[in-house]
Amino acid sequence: NQMAAAAAQVAVLIDGGRAGEVWDGASEVMRKAAARPAFVQAMGDDRQRLGAMRQRGEPSVTRVQYAAGGAVPPGVYLNVSFATLFANSAQPVRELVSFRLDEDRTWRVSGYSVRPVGQ
């Protein structure tokens, strides 16, 4: 429940054009993957394409552990997904907020994406 609420807070920040704040508090994993200006631009581009958030569904939470040597940095991750309806999308979009349990044992945002449901 706490992670679902945290993911909803991240989504609300993105909704409000405050992606920079999300990046500022993110895991080093995310901060290394995308510079702040690129992340903010990508979130703005997504929102411009999709339009305003109209309805966010119930969250679905999954836990994943990645080993060293893979495409994703090793660690424990929680993924929270929502089926979200945006003004410019006829069908709900899969909105995904990922968190990583960092070395200091703190959960931090490690990713945010929107993509068609089923992808």
Side-chain angles (χ1 to χ4, degrees):
N1 269 349
Q2 289 178 348
M3 296 311 290
Q9 288 176 331
V10 168
V12 167
L13 286 172
I14 300 291
D15 293 341
R18 296 167 59 190
E21 292 176 44
V22 172
W23 191 92
D24 291 342
S27 171
E28 265 315 295
V29 167
M30 185 173 116
R31 292 164 61 114
K32 287 180 181 177
R36 189 181 198 272
F39 179 76
V40 170
Q41 181 69 47
M43 297 304 100
D45 291 349
D46 282 344
R47 281 306 198 269
Q48 187 171 10
R49 177 177 48 86
L50 293 168
M53 192 279 296
R54 297 178 83 184
Q55 181 179 357
R56 187 167 281 124
E58 290 297 313
S60 172
V61 181
T62 57
R63 182 176 185 258
V64 182
Q65 183 158 1
Y66 292 104
V72 175
V76 177
Y77 293 80
L78 281 177
N79 297 311
V80 182
S81 61
F82 304 91
T84 305
L85 187 59
F86 291 94
N88 298 340
S89 61
Q91 299 295 319
V93 172
R94 178 178 175 244
E95 188 176 26
L96 179 68
V97 181
S98 298
F99 296 91
R100 181 178 187 268
L101 184 60
D102 283 340
E103 288 73 13
D104 65 357
R105 309 295 295 160
T106 301
W107 288 102
R108 291 188 179 87
V109 175
S110 60
Y112 175 89
S113 65
V114 288
R115 51 181 81 124
V117 172
Q119 288 188 359

